[in-house]
Amino acid sequence: MENNNQKAPVGLRSFSAVFGIVAMACGVLGVVQMSKVLINDFSASDGGIQAYLTTFVVYHAMWWLFFASLAVVGLSLIQASFVGRRNNLVPGPTLYLLGATLIINGFFLLMFGQAGWAALAILSGVVFMYLENQTVIA
């Protein structure tokens, strides 16, 4: 029988905290930058057509959602490291959302002719969605 009250080793807790801080910082910076891009999308026009009527606003909104999810993942890792959790380090829906936004943006990149970046985004999204089920550390 597994003891769920056992705390994670100090090395793992430190790694989780550092990785969480980096993920949260990248997520917050991404949200700020994508917010600026989204504001520009709604105020710019492209040949007389408002930019919010194009696919770019959806593409940028999905990146905003990705960065917001990344910030939540970072916050969850920081919190898990302070508590010393060994399982459920990051809530499942957050990782699913992170992966789903990457997959959707991968298809946008494919539509924009960026096959290499699209493959990387789609594969990364699948990995994040798989990791949701693998956040238990023995």
Side-chain angles (χ1 to χ4, degrees):
M1 183 173 221
E2 185 179 326
N3 184 1
N4 287 333
N5 294 329
Q6 193 175 24
K7 292 214 181 240
V10 174
L12 177 65
R13 292 172 70 179
S14 300
F15 176 75
S16 294
V18 169
F19 191 73
I21 290 168
V22 170
M24 189 170 163
C26 290
V28 169
L29 289 173
V31 164
V32 169
Q33 289 300 321
M34 290 313 297
S35 295
K36 292 176 187 177
V37 170
L38 281 169
I39 289 170
N40 188 44
D41 282 347
F42 284 106
S43 64
S45 64
D46 182 25
I49 299 172
Q50 288 296 86
Y52 61 81
L53 297 176
T54 66
T55 57
F56 284 110
V57 73
V58 176
Y59 176 68
H60 293 144
M62 292 308 293
W63 277 119
W64 187 93
L65 193 57
F66 165 78
F67 286 118
S69 298
L70 187 62
V72 172
V73 165
L75 185 63
S76 297
L77 284 172
I78 293 168
Q79 192 265 340
S81 71
F82 283 123
V83 174
R85 271 191 279 164
R86 295 174 66 95
N87 56 14
N88 198 22
L89 298 177
V90 178
T94 306
L95 284 177
Y96 274 124
L97 189 59
L98 192 72
T101 56
L102 275 175
I103 291 170
I104 292 168
N105 279 336
F107 285 115
F108 273 111
L109 288 167
L110 192 61
M111 185 176 73
F112 298 148
Q114 303 290 326
W117 289 113
L120 181 66
I122 291 169
L123 287 174
S124 298
V126 169
V127 167
F128 277 119
M129 292 177 92
Y130 174 76
L131 284 176
E132 185 280 327
N133 202 21
Q134 303 300 317
T135 56
V136 175
I137 298 172

